[in-house]
Amino acid sequence: MIKIININGLRKYLFTVKVKLWILFYYLPEIFKGKISICRYILFLKRLLYFLSKIYHNKFVKVDNAVRMGLYIPRFPSRAFFTACRKFMVFDAKLPCTTVLVSVTSACRFNCEHCYQKNDLGKDIDIDLTINAVKKLQDLGVAFFNVEGGEPFLVYDRLKKLCAAIDQGAEIWVNSTGDGMSVERLKELKSLGLTSIMFSLHSTRADEVNAFMKSDKAWDILIEGIRLCHESGVAVSFNSCLKRESFYNGDFQKLMDKAKEFNACLIQLIKPKPSGGWLESGAEDFSKEDLDKIKELVHTYNSDARYKDYPSISAQIIEEDPAVFGCTAGGTDRFYVNAKGDVQPCEFLNISFGNIGQEDFIEIYKRMRSCFENPGECWLCERYSSKILKIMREKELKMLPLDKELSKSVYSDWDRGNKTEIYKIIENDLT
C-alpha cells in the first residue's frame, strides 16, 4: 500500500522554506542564460511567494516521496511542479493556464443523478484529435491533466493512448468509478505517469451510493477499485458532492472517517451545481451561513491536530472564494474538453467555444481565453444556468453543451463580477 504522511505544524513551515529555496536556485540559471532579467526574476519570485501564501491553509500531504500542496498543484519535487511554476514567469501576456480536465468517453454503466454530462450526448471524438490538443497544451504550459469519462476504463485503449502522449512535464490524475479497472491496467498507467485515481464517494452507506449511481453494483465496484489501487501502488483520492444537511447531521464526519479508512491522500468537496442532471431541477441552495459552516469544518480537518492523520480536503467553495482564487474557468487556470471535442470553460458550465473536430484547437482556445481575459469572482455556472436552460428549451435541444453560436448569447454580455484580487495583485501590484 502506498505510504501517506500529512505534513503539519513545524514540519509544514520548514517544508515551505525548502520549497522557496529550491525554487530560488532551480530557476537561477535562467538569468545567466539571458532568458529573464534580474528585475523580472525577483518579480517572478514575489509572484510565487504570494501564490504560496494563498495555499498555505491547505493540508500538505506526502505521497510516497513527493508532497502535494493542493489538488491541482503538481507534486513537489517533479518536472510538472516546475512547469506549473513557470506560469508566473509570463509578464507580457495573460498568465498561462496550468490545468485541464479531459474526457476520453461519455460511456458509463452508471446513471448518477447529478452527472454534469447527463446531456452530453453524441459520439466520442477521434482520440487523436484530443491527443493533438493535449500536446499543444503541454507546449503552452499545462502541468496537470485530470482525465475522466464517463468511465475511462471502459475505453482503456483510448485512456492509455492519451496518457502515453503526456510527458513528465505534466501530472496525470484519472477520475473513475472503478468499473473496468485491473491491476495490470493500473500498473501500466502508473508507468505512463498516473499519480492518483479519484473515485466518487458521496456517502458511506452502500445502499445510498447504489441508489445515487442507479446500480446495485456501484458500491462493490468502488471497494474493489480502491483495493486494486492499493495493490498497484496508485494513490487513492475522492471527490464528494454532499447536500447541505450532510454538514449538519454528521454525514460529513462519517465520510472523512471512511476516507481515512480507505487510506486516501485527498478528498475534493464539490458544491452541488445546477448543471447536467441538475440543470432543470436546480441545485440545492447554500446560504452564507451554510458556506461558512462548511469552511469551518474544512479548516478544522485540515489544520486541527486532532485530524492530522485524515486526508487533505480541497473544497471548491474555498478555492473559488474571491479571497483565494475566485472562478478560474475559461483557461484562467483550468477548463474542460468533453468527449465529443467541445471546449468548455468548465465542466459545470454547459456552453462551448468550439469543437476540435471542426476547428483548430488553438483558435478555439484563443477565443475562449479572450473571453476570460480578466479573471472574475462570479460563479458563472450558477448565475447563468437558468439562461442556458431557457435556450435549451426554446431551441428544443436534446443535448448540451450549447454550440459556439448559441453560447455567444450567454457570454456576450454576461457579468463576471470584479476581477479576482489575487490576479489583480500578481498582474499589477507585483509588476
Side-chain angles (χ1 to χ4, degrees):
M1 186 180 292
I2 203 162
K3 192 174 183 180
I4 308 293
I5 301 174
N6 292 320
I7 299 177
N8 309 293
L10 179 61
R11 289 185 64 213
K12 183 177 180 181
Y13 170 76
L14 293 175
F15 171 76
T16 56
V17 172
K18 175 183 176 180
V19 172
K20 292 172 185 177
L21 290 173
W22 200 315
I23 289 171
L24 170 67
F25 291 107
Y26 184 90
Y27 295 102
L28 203 57
E30 302 283 313
I31 297 175
F32 305 116
K33 294 176 182 177
K35 293 183 178 180
I36 189 171
S37 67
I38 295 177
C39 180
R40 284 200 164 178
Y41 187 74
I42 293 172
L43 289 175
F44 160 69
L45 294 177
K46 285 183 177 179
R47 283 175 158 191
L48 261 177
L49 288 175
Y50 181 64
F51 174 80
L52 289 172
S53 73
K54 286 293 184 179
I55 64 169
Y56 194 75
H57 63 271
N58 291 341
K59 178 183 286 185
F60 297 174
V61 54
K62 187 175 183 180
V63 183
D64 275 351
N65 297 316
V67 177
R68 168 150 256 99
M69 291 180 274
L71 173 56
Y72 297 119
I73 302 169
R75 62 199 187 282
F76 172 89
S78 68
R79 275 183 57 194
F81 176 83
F82 293 111
T83 298
C85 289
R86 287 188 178 276
K87 173 188 181 86
F88 300 105
M89 234 180 233
V90 175
F91 294 92
D92 300 320
K94 179 178 168 64
L95 294 179
C97 172
T98 58
T99 300
V100 61
L101 178 64
V102 183
S103 176
V104 292
T105 185
S106 58
C108 185
R109 287 193 277 232
F110 300 112
N111 187 24
C112 301
E113 63 181 60
H114 73 308
C115 181
Y116 52 81
Q117 294 186 33
K118 187 76 75 174
N119 299 306
D120 289 14
L121 309 176
K123 184 179 178 182
D124 293 346
I125 198 168
D126 183 340
I127 194 63
D128 287 333
L129 292 172
T130 305
I131 288 171
N132 179 57
V134 162
K135 287 182 176 179
K136 289 179 179 178
L137 284 169
Q138 273 212 266
D139 292 340
L140 291 171
V142 168
F144 189 97
F145 288 93
N146 193 182
V147 186
E148 63 155 30
E151 173 47 64
F153 281 91
L154 293 181
V155 290
Y156 182 69
D157 288 344
R158 289 171 64 89
L159 174 61
K160 175 185 171 182
K161 193 171 184 180
L162 179 65
C163 291
I166 300 170
D167 68 33
Q168 292 184 359
E171 185 170 316
I172 303 170
W173 280 41
V174 172
N175 292 359
S176 176
T177 62
D179 196 8
M181 197 176 284
S182 70
V183 168
E184 293 73 25
R185 288 179 169 184
L186 287 168
K187 287 183 176 180
E188 187 170 39
L189 292 180
K190 185 177 181 181
S191 72
L192 296 174
L194 171 66
T195 300
S196 178
I197 295 288
M198 179 171 272
F199 296 93
S200 293
L201 183 66
H202 308 302
S203 171
T204 59
R205 291 179 51 183
D207 59 335
E208 291 182 352
V209 169
N210 290 343
F212 189 86
M213 299 178 73
K214 306 294 190 297
S215 169
D216 59 3
K217 299 178 180 178
W219 179 261
D220 290 339
I221 290 174
L222 167 67
I223 299 302
E224 177 63 7
I226 293 169
R227 187 193 69 79
L228 292 172
C229 284
H230 289 323
E231 183 178 337
S232 307
V234 174
V236 169
S237 54
F238 295 109
N239 65 64
S240 187
C241 185
L242 298 179
K243 294 185 177 181
R244 176 187 173 278
E245 64 180 16
S246 298
F247 297 98
Y248 292 93
N249 64 10
D251 283 350
F252 167 75
Q253 288 85 346
K254 292 177 183 176
L255 190 83
M256 292 304 299
D257 289 341
K258 184 61 71 173
K260 178 187 175 188
E261 178 187 323
F262 286 145
N263 197 40
C265 64
L266 181 145
I267 183 165
Q268 180 188 29
L269 286 183
I270 301 174
K271 182 180 179 294
K273 302 284 189 177
S275 172
W278 285 342
L279 181 62
E280 293 198 53
S281 63
E284 186 179 24
D285 288 330
F286 284 64
S287 67
K288 181 181 182 302
E289 290 72 23
D290 295 331
L291 296 178
D292 288 342
K293 168 73 172 178
I294 299 169
K295 289 176 183 178
E296 180 183 353
L297 283 169
V298 171
H299 287 313
T300 298
Y301 271 83
N302 274 349
S303 60
D304 194 304
R306 291 174 297 169
Y307 305 102
K308 62 184 180 64
D309 296 324
Y310 281 73
S312 173
I313 305 173
S314 174
Q316 284 186 339
I317 63 166
I318 293 177
E319 301 300 315
E320 296 176 2
D321 188 282
V324 185
F325 299 113
C327 176
T328 59
T332 294
D333 202 45
R334 66 186 302 272
F335 70 102
Y336 177 51
V337 182
N338 75 11
K340 295 182 297 182
D342 292 300
V343 178
Q344 300 178 222
C346 168
E347 64 270 32
F348 302 114
L349 189 57
N350 300 133
I351 64 173
S352 172
F353 279 83
N355 188 287
I356 60 177
Q358 301 165 3
E359 289 183 84
D360 177 67
F361 168 73
I362 293 298
E363 293 304 311
I364 301 171
Y365 187 62
K366 287 179 180 178
R367 183 185 304 136
M368 177 180 67
R369 292 257 294 169
S370 66
C371 183
F372 288 82
E373 182 65 29
N374 292 310
E377 296 178 349
C378 172
W379 294 352
L380 299 170
C381 55
E382 299 194 0
R383 179 176 289 182
Y384 290 97
S385 62
S386 59
K387 188 169 185 177
I388 293 170
L389 178 60
K390 181 181 178 182
I391 294 171
M392 184 181 180
R393 287 173 171 170
E394 288 177 348
K395 300 296 182 180
E396 298 182 343
L397 303 177
K398 303 300 181 183
M399 63 179 68
L400 289 174
L402 301 179
D403 66 30
K404 71 174 184 179
E405 295 304 323
L406 289 175
S407 295
K408 284 182 183 178
S409 62
V410 177
Y411 67 75
S412 60
D413 62 349
W414 65 12
D415 178 9
R416 299 188 53 234
N418 297 324
K419 186 174 181 179
T420 311
E421 188 68 19
I422 182 173
Y423 294 101
K424 189 187 300 182
I425 291 175
I426 285 176
E427 293 175 359
N428 298 317
D429 296 358
L430 293 181
T431 58

